[in-house]
């Protein structure tokens, strides 16, 4: 079964940084936009960022814009989410997934377009 694998989560103090990784096969990175999502306890899953397969363009939610950066390294088949200036409200389990309907990220993408969800990696931001 195809699945993406997230890693890099952990505990950090407010203002700190973490870099999450999403390992995927070559064909997934070449063919599909990759999205990052998060789900905090008791809350719905939230789209965080997306990086396109077609042109590498990126999108961010307003809550992380200017603090998070998504990137892709095709040589190692991995998508990264660099998270800086972390806040307690960033605490969540972070997931990556592939958008099987799009090569390019668009704002109107819906979660149901995504597949190959990983198990997630937990991020905790607290003092």
């Amino acid at each position: 079964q195809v699945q993406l694998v997230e890693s890099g989560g952990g505990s950090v103090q407010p203002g700190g940084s973490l870099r999450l990784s999403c390992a995927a096969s070559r064909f997934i990175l070449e063919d599909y936009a990759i999205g990052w999502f998060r789900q905090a306890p008791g809350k719905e899953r939230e789209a965080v960022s997306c990086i396109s397969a077609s042109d590498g363009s990126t999108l961010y939610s307003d809550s992380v814009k200017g603090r998070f950066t998504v990137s892709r390294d095709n040589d190692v088949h991995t998508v990264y989410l660099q998270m800086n200036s972390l806040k307690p409200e960033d605490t969540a389990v972070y997931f990556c997934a592939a958008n099987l309907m799009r090569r390019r990220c668009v704002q109107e993408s819906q979660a149901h377009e995504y597949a190959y969800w990983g198990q997630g990696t937990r991020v905790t931001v607290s003092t």
Side-chain angles (χ1 to χ4, degrees):
Q1 181 178 354
V2 178
Q3 191 175 46
L4 305 184
V5 180
E6 305 93 340
S7 62
S11 295
V12 64
Q13 293 186 343
S17 298
L18 284 173
R19 188 178 77 159
L20 306 184
S21 299
C22 172
S25 66
R26 178 171 61 90
F27 85 90
I28 289 180
L29 289 190
E30 290 180 351
D31 291 346
Y32 305 122
I34 302 296
W36 281 99
F37 298 79
R38 66 186 182 187
Q39 187 163 21
K43 295 188 177 181
E44 293 187 355
R45 183 173 51 195
E46 172 191 13
V48 173
S49 183
C50 180
I51 185 164
S52 301
S54 55
D55 58 5
S57 58
T58 58
L59 289 176
Y60 300 92
S61 66
D62 288 342
S63 60
V64 306
K65 195 173 297 182
R67 300 187 297 121
F68 290 12
T69 303
V70 62
S71 61
R72 185 179 68 198
D73 187 337
N74 289 341
D75 290 338
V76 294
H77 313 152
T78 301
V79 171
Y80 301 101
L81 185 67
Q82 178 67 44
M83 306 187 299
N84 298 329
S85 302
L86 283 162
K87 304 175 181 179
E89 50 264 44
D90 294 318
T91 295
V93 178
Y94 285 71
F95 303 87
C96 60
N99 190 322
L100 301 189
M101 298 179 63
R102 304 181 192 272
R103 288 174 50 83
R104 190 169 187 274
C105 302
V106 295
Q107 287 286 1
E108 58 267 28
S109 289
Q110 302 295 315
H112 68 82
E113 299 176 4
Y114 287 84
Y116 307 146
W117 294 86
Q119 296 300 307
T121 186
R122 186 175 302 276
V123 172
T124 302
V125 185
S126 66
T127 57

